[in-house]
Amino acid sequence: MHRSCPGAFTGAPATRGFAHKQTAQFLVGACSLFGGASTCAFADEAKLPPVTVSARHSRDDAPLSTPGDTGSRLNLSSLDTPASVESVTAAQIEARGDQTVNDAVTRATGFTSTATPGNGGTALAVRGFAGQESVMTLYDGTRLYPGAGTMTFPFDTWQVERIDVLRGPASVLYGEGAIGGVVNVIPRQPQRESATTLQAGFGTQAQKRFALDTTGALGPMLSYRFYVSDNRSNGWVERGDSHTTSVGGAVKLDVSPRLSFTLSYDYARQMPATYFGVPLNGGALDTALRDRNYNVGNALIAYFDQSTRLTGVYRAGDGITIRDQLYYLNTHRHWRNSESYEMDPSTRLVTRSDYIEILQHEQQAGNRLDATIERSLAGHANRFVIGVEANRISFRRDSNTPFGGSSVVSADGFDPGVFASPDPTVPEFRTLTHQVALFAEDRFDITSRLSAVGGLRYDYLDYSRRQLASGTAFGKAFSNVGWRLGLVYQVGPSASVYGQYTRGADSVGSLVTLSQSQTQFELATGEQWEAGFKQELPEGRGFWTLAVYQIVKKHLLTSDPLHPGVTQQVGQQSSRGVELSGALTLGYGVSVEANAALLRARYDRFDENVGGMAVSRSGNVPNNIAQQTANVWLTCSPIRDVVLGAGLRYVGRRYSDNANTAPMPSYTVFDASVSWRATRHIDLALYLRNLGNRAYAVTSESPTEWLLGPSRSAQVVATMKF
């Protein structure tokens, strides 16, 4: 296990500022993929040199002053970026025992889970916005386009080096979407130094875990990385079996000190629990139903994902670098379930409906090329990046729409039966989306303390869809310009204050699966004002950050008050809030990490069609948005080679309807861990989840149905490193 306490920092951060030396990189080169043609690939596997010339500490030691490329393509540290950027490292993930990306990310500031089987079990909410379109997922810096609001990869933390999160609109970096934030899952890379890690775990609910990670050299020019992870459980609800497998790796070719290529491949197979929650009893949770699974007996959920990437970097000369990434993503998903449940409190009978079978097939092929140059302009240090990105996304859905079928069972005990729908499963529709973007960013040192950071991105998307049964076809072209301008003032060697303004865009639905009615509208637009303060404490004792912001999203779809059946694009939604995060080493082997987020999220203008009438929801809180969140993780080492950890997650009250008549209560979940270095190469750990055995709703499928969080569990994990 990781021996140092999370939040404990060693060594003072180095003085920042890049006016002393120009370690520039300019990316030129040639790769294009649009509709199938492609040429050479140079990619960003090796990172750009840091903006500062002084030596840096690791991300665990100095999280704010370590360069990263999620909050900016300029490879700036958090202290140099006018935005809220945070990292969850592999060491933190290991110390807390988080085995899914969703679990790890929801310990970051302001993030909460809105995961359901329908969205792939990965959806998140932050800064008042929720869903796969509003909170974007990247893998190794590459955007994954969700189809029908669904994303199923990445999910496993075993291959993760770190997870970077950016809070706030990010259209200037990654295109339309991400009005709430971005999650970038960064996998481990090949290393020339040999290292192997084996892990085995067993726990309650018949948990079984096996994992392997190995890396090393394959001669003077080649290095490799290989990993595999397998997790099984009987689950905490009836018929809650799950089985997930991840396998993959990379091979890196160092042609010369200037040129390298990396070929990476990941395969993931998920068979998650076929669980869609429990019906409410008179609008409240009946804890007697906590372990019930109301799905049919032969229910099925299966996800298969593959990611292939050719990446590299070429340093063409002093201050010139060429980067490119060529990638192909392939996913197949299958659902066959009864997904909706409603209980009659007087009879305790549950009506099951929405007998849904859906198959999704999605392929995304793309290429990203950018160029970076660092040069003085009129005696002022300057770093500039310019690039192009192109994607081709094809999507097909087969289904049994309109999803007929129903059954009635007892709430307290029943034969689950089998899936039976009068509607056959047939090919439904196929879509094709072409996307191309041009982007640029710049950082200019106005003075030795004050710098300006700006960015601009233009996106063009061409979308077409064909209904396979009728042969009808339609399409739409979208375009958007996103931009950001911010100022960063260096208060001291390890502290900065910043302000920024950002403009972005969001789709009115899943962009690669829009319906014909949705193509009548343009992209929704958003803007954000943000200011904050960041500081690393002296002698590596910790750090703290403060951010305040306001986001306004316009052009939401809303019903016409005079004609409820007519949809208008005149709605507006906003959020404003304050976020605080930090870590502190207290001495005597004790350290603490904590964060809290308070926000006010509202529909400013929104009308909903209810029974043929337009009902105003203005002033209400959007679905599944928690306006208060907090996380704490405390670590101590009472004796040598033993580390104790304890933490809590707090999520405030949310609503499961736009009318705000169906509140989901707030909840606090306590976790703990104990690790012991048994020998030089072997660590033993005990992970305890939901110590208080709290029954709580993670999210809602409808105002009458909640998806509950896991009950109390324990797992023992043995890790061998050599």
Side-chain angles (χ1 to χ4, degrees):
M1 298 300 296
H2 177 65
R3 304 317 310 163
S4 62
C5 299
F9 302 93
T10 60
T15 301
R16 297 181 305 112
F18 61 95
H20 303 291
K21 182 180 179 181
Q22 316 207 333
T23 53
Q25 302 145 1
F26 182 69
L27 227 154
V28 286
C31 266
S32 65
L33 170 70
F34 202 78
S38 97
T39 59
C40 64
F42 306 110
D44 181 14
E45 198 277 308
K47 303 303 179 184
L48 293 175
V51 170
T52 69
V53 298
S54 302
R56 296 279 189 175
H57 297 283
S58 72
R59 191 173 300 272
D60 290 305
D61 294 336
L64 300 186
S65 59
T66 302
D69 52 11
T70 298
S72 168
R73 295 192 185 276
L74 296 166
N75 199 36
L76 303 177
S77 71
S78 178
L79 284 171
D80 295 318
T81 304
S84 295
V85 185
E86 184 177 347
S87 290
V88 182
T89 66
Q92 292 172 309
I93 292 170
E94 182 181 20
R96 300 161 181 172
D98 293 330
Q99 295 179 1
T100 69
V101 169
N102 197 279
D103 282 344
V105 171
T106 52
R107 296 193 192 272
T109 311
F111 281 83
T112 59
S113 175
T114 60
T116 69
N119 59 46
T122 60
L124 297 158
V126 67
R127 288 196 171 180
F129 299 89
Q132 304 285 11
E133 289 76 30
S134 294
V135 185
M136 185 182 293
T137 299
L138 313 175
Y139 187 62
D140 201 16
T142 297
R143 175 185 179 177
L144 311 179
Y145 282 82
T150 306
M151 184 76 66
T152 52
F153 178 83
F155 68 93
D156 195 338
T157 59
W158 178 247
Q159 74 267 30
V160 170
E161 177 65 30
R162 69 180 192 274
I163 303 172
D164 290 345
V165 299
L166 169 66
R167 301 189 296 277
S171 293
V172 67
L173 296 171
Y174 307 110
E176 62 76 34
I179 204 77
V182 166
V183 174
N184 186 12
V185 179
I186 300 171
R188 296 171 179 170
Q189 298 297 323
Q191 306 294 328
R192 294 199 60 80
E193 183 178 353
S194 296
T196 298
T197 302
L198 283 167
Q199 190 172 90
F202 302 90
T204 58
Q205 302 163 10
Q207 296 178 79
K208 301 179 183 68
R209 173 175 176 80
F210 169 79
L212 165 69
D213 176 73
T214 183
T215 187
L218 293 172
M221 299 175 63
L222 283 174
S223 55
Y224 74 94
R225 186 128 213 164
F226 173 78
Y227 75 89
V228 60
S229 173
D230 188 86
N231 294 276
R232 305 172 187 233
S233 173
N234 287 353
W236 55 276
V237 297
E238 299 168 337
R239 296 173 284 110
D241 296 359
S242 65
H243 184 191
T244 65
T245 303
S246 294
V247 61
V251 176
K252 181 181 179 183
L253 173 64
D254 292 305
V255 179
S256 72
R258 291 179 177 272
L259 176 63
S260 66
F261 296 92
T262 302
L263 179 63
S264 306
Y265 175 79
D266 299 276
Y267 170 83
R269 171 185 177 273
Q270 294 185 73
M271 305 288 288
T274 54
Y275 171 73
F276 284 80
V278 297
L280 302 184
N281 187 350
L285 174 63
D286 185 344
T287 56
L289 308 181
R290 182 181 185 181
D291 62 352
R292 294 286 190 267
N293 185 349
Y294 290 92
N295 208 339
V296 294
N298 64 337
L300 172 68
I301 304 177
Y303 311 138
F304 303 88
D305 293 277
Q306 298 179 69
S307 170
T308 306
R309 306 176 305 284
L310 178 59
T311 60
V313 59
Y314 175 55
R315 293 184 174 89
D318 184 20
I320 300 176
T321 300
I322 300 175
R323 304 180 303 177
D324 187 85
Q325 186 174 76
L326 177 67
Y327 48 86
Y328 175 73
L329 312 168
N330 186 22
T331 185
H332 299 277
R333 309 177 183 119
H334 189 182
W335 294 265
R336 186 183 64 229
N337 307 275
S338 172
E339 300 184 4
S340 296
Y341 322 122
E342 188 167 357
M343 184 168 71
D344 183 341
S346 62
T347 63
R348 293 188 67 80
L349 293 178
V350 175
T351 299
R352 305 187 300 184
S353 58
D354 284 345
Y355 276 61
I356 296 176
E357 183 168 34
I358 291 177
L359 294 94
Q360 294 180 357
H361 312 277
E362 183 175 0
Q363 293 84 38
Q364 177 183 339
N367 191 84
R368 184 178 64 255
L369 171 71
D370 61 73
T372 304
I373 185 169
E374 191 174 338
R375 288 287 187 269
S376 289
L377 295 178
H380 296 263
N382 188 76
R383 173 173 281 196
F384 177 71
V385 62
I386 187 170
V388 61
E389 177 181 328
N391 284 277
R392 180 184 186 274
I393 308 104
S394 64
F395 185 95
R396 171 175 163 166
R397 186 171 100 160
D398 304 340
S399 80
N400 69 322
T401 182
F403 312 124
S406 66
S407 59
V408 178
V409 297
S410 169
D412 302 299
F414 57 92
D415 180 350
V418 297
F419 182 91
S421 171
D423 305 309
T425 300
V426 297
E428 184 182 357
F429 66 84
R430 186 191 304 273
T431 75
L432 183 63
T433 306
H434 289 96
Q435 176 268 353
V436 65
L438 301 173
F439 56 87
E441 275 192 275
D442 187 80
R443 171 184 160 138
F444 179 75
D445 271 12
I446 302 172
T447 70
S448 60
R449 289 178 175 265
L450 179 65
S451 62
V453 180
L456 183 71
R457 177 173 171 126
Y458 170 77
D459 274 271
Y460 176 83
L461 301 103
D462 183 74
Y463 170 78
S464 63
R465 171 167 164 165
R466 177 176 295 276
Q467 296 299 124
L468 298 178
S470 64
T472 58
F474 55 89
K476 179 68 176 287
F478 298 90
S479 64
N480 176 65
V481 176
W483 60 276
R484 177 176 73 183
L485 181 62
L487 294 174
V488 180
Y489 182 74
Q490 185 177 333
V491 180
S494 302
S496 62
V497 61
Y498 70 91
Q500 62 123 312
Y501 174 77
T502 304
R503 286 190 63 86
D506 225 352
S507 176
V508 295
S510 285
L511 192 61
V512 302
T513 52
L514 292 175
S515 66
Q516 187 166 11
S517 62
Q518 289 172 324
T519 59
Q520 302 173 23
F521 305 101
E522 300 300 323
L523 299 174
T525 60
E527 61 179 13
Q528 173 184 260
W529 292 91
E530 180 177 342
F533 182 84
K534 307 174 185 180
Q535 182 182 24
E536 287 184 337
L537 302 180
E539 300 177 356
R541 291 186 290 110
F543 73 92
W544 70 283
T545 71
L546 172 68
V548 295
Y549 66 89
Q550 175 176 288
I551 303 175
V552 178
K553 180 179 178 180
K554 300 178 181 180
H555 305 130
L556 271 68
L557 301 186
T558 176
S559 293
D560 184 340
L562 300 180
H563 306 90
V566 177
T567 300
Q568 300 176 304
Q569 195 174 17
V570 295
Q572 179 174 302
Q573 177 182 346
S574 66
S575 65
R576 63 186 65 172
V578 57
E579 298 164 340
L580 182 66
S581 68
L584 182 64
T585 298
L586 303 174
Y588 302 100
V590 179
S591 64
V592 61
E593 294 173 272
N595 61 64
L598 303 174
L599 70 91
R600 178 189 181 275
R602 293 291 186 272
Y603 286 120
D604 301 316
R605 182 180 180 183
F606 181 64
D607 293 294
E608 191 174 29
N609 189 336
V610 180
M613 297 182 60
V615 179
S616 174
R617 304 305 189 195
S618 300
N620 287 5
V621 181
N623 285 0
N624 287 309
I625 298 299
Q627 299 190 98
Q628 306 89 30
T629 65
N631 289 275
V632 177
W633 189 266
L634 179 68
T635 304
C636 67
S637 182
I639 59 176
R640 183 178 178 180
D641 294 330
V642 174
V643 178
L644 307 179
L648 66 83
R649 310 174 193 236
Y650 170 77
V651 176
R653 186 174 68 166
R654 299 134 294 146
Y655 293 97
S656 56
D657 65 339
N658 291 326
N660 287 183
T661 59
M664 291 181 287
S666 63
Y667 64 86
T668 303
V669 176
F670 294 90
D671 302 325
S673 67
V674 182
S675 65
W676 171 48
R677 170 151 291 181
T679 71
R680 179 182 175 184
H681 299 290
I682 298 176
D683 296 316
L684 298 176
L686 171 65
Y687 298 111
L688 304 171
R689 313 304 289 264
N690 193 2
L691 282 170
N693 204 26
R694 176 71 183 268
Y696 63 96
V698 174
T699 187
S700 64
E701 286 283 350
S702 73
T704 63
E705 181 181 348
W706 289 352
L707 197 148
L708 304 185
S711 61
R712 180 167 49 218
S713 66
Q715 185 179 41
V716 176
V717 176
T719 304
M720 177 183 294
K721 299 180 179 181
F722 55 91

